[in-house]
Amino acid sequence: MAWSDPDEALVAEVARGEAGAVRALVARKLPRLTALAQRMLGDAQEAEDVAQEAFVRAWRQAPKWKPGQAKFDTWLHRVAMNLCYDRLRRRRETPYAEPPEQLDEGPGPDRGLQAADTGKRVARALQDLPERQREAIVLCHYQDLGNIEAAAVMGVTVEALESLLGRARRALRAGLADLAEP
């Protein structure tokens, strides 16, 4: 498959150990990786940890990177997504002696800001989706990946991705139906 990879030259510079290239790659990719992890995990600190680990793996991989097999951005998204899944899996497997402390969900001083409340509701509804549906929504609607690239990141066909997107959109629509009412 022939395509141009906008990160190819930068990854080659990183492989040669050029510090400026490392800074440029981080500046280019960090905001999107952190946002991806934040939406998948719902935790800012964990999202930063995931992004950092993804970059560590990118530095290790850079000298072995073979252009033309996949876009670097697609590979980096897949690494971050796998790290998110590892953390989500650990959450399910961690037994607690006591229930975790619950955040106070009561009205806060900014409760009157309808946009903030709506954003929180959408974030919760996103977290309630099954992992694969959430992944599809995050990649396509938040990370702005096209269906072909998102399907490659997820390791599914475009048709399977579109099916996941359809189910996820229906679930979000149903869960947030009251927001659409006047």
Side-chain angles (χ1 to χ4, degrees):
M1 176 175 213
W3 63 72
S4 69
D5 188 342
D7 300 314
E8 186 176 325
L10 199 52
V11 172
E13 290 175 20
V14 168
R16 291 191 297 271
E18 296 178 26
V22 170
R23 284 191 296 276
L25 192 62
V26 168
R28 186 183 293 181
K29 303 295 180 184
L30 181 62
R32 291 187 73 209
L33 278 187
T34 304
L36 168 72
Q38 169 73 39
R39 288 186 179 100
M40 289 301 296
L41 300 170
D43 182 287
Q45 182 61 47
E46 275 193 297
E48 290 175 12
D49 292 345
V50 163
Q52 182 177 358
E53 179 62 25
F55 280 115
V56 167
R57 291 181 185 197
W59 309 155
R60 289 182 189 147
Q61 179 65 28
K64 298 178 246 171
W65 185 256
K66 291 184 175 60
Q69 291 182 347
K71 284 186 177 181
F72 179 76
D73 191 61
T74 303
W75 175 82
L76 192 59
H77 270 78
R78 181 73 259 161
V79 168
M81 196 62 70
N82 286 342
L83 291 168
C84 288
Y85 281 139
D86 289 346
R87 286 174 179 266
L88 290 169
R89 217 174 288 116
R90 274 188 249 131
R91 283 182 189 173
R92 286 193 305 262
E93 295 171 0
T94 305
Y96 292 99
E98 297 177 23
E101 287 188 34
Q102 299 294 316
L103 294 177
D104 183 5
E105 296 290 331
D110 64 345
R111 186 70 171 166
L113 300 173
Q114 185 177 9
D117 185 46
T118 300
K120 289 178 188 175
R121 293 260 326 270
V122 170
R124 267 192 304 254
L126 192 61
Q127 289 298 311
D128 290 342
L129 289 175
E131 289 176 6
R132 297 294 282 180
Q133 290 179 23
R134 181 173 58 234
E135 182 179 0
I137 289 287
V138 167
L139 290 173
C140 291
H141 293 285
Y142 290 98
Q143 298 303 111
D144 295 322
L145 296 183
N147 286 7
I148 294 170
E149 195 169 12
V153 169
M154 293 181 70
V156 299
T157 64
V158 173
E159 293 80 15
L161 172 77
E162 290 170 351
S163 176
L164 287 166
L165 284 171
R167 289 195 309 270
R169 289 178 187 134
R170 284 190 297 277
L172 288 172
R173 205 173 300 120
L176 300 169
D178 62 307
L179 292 178
E181 296 172 2

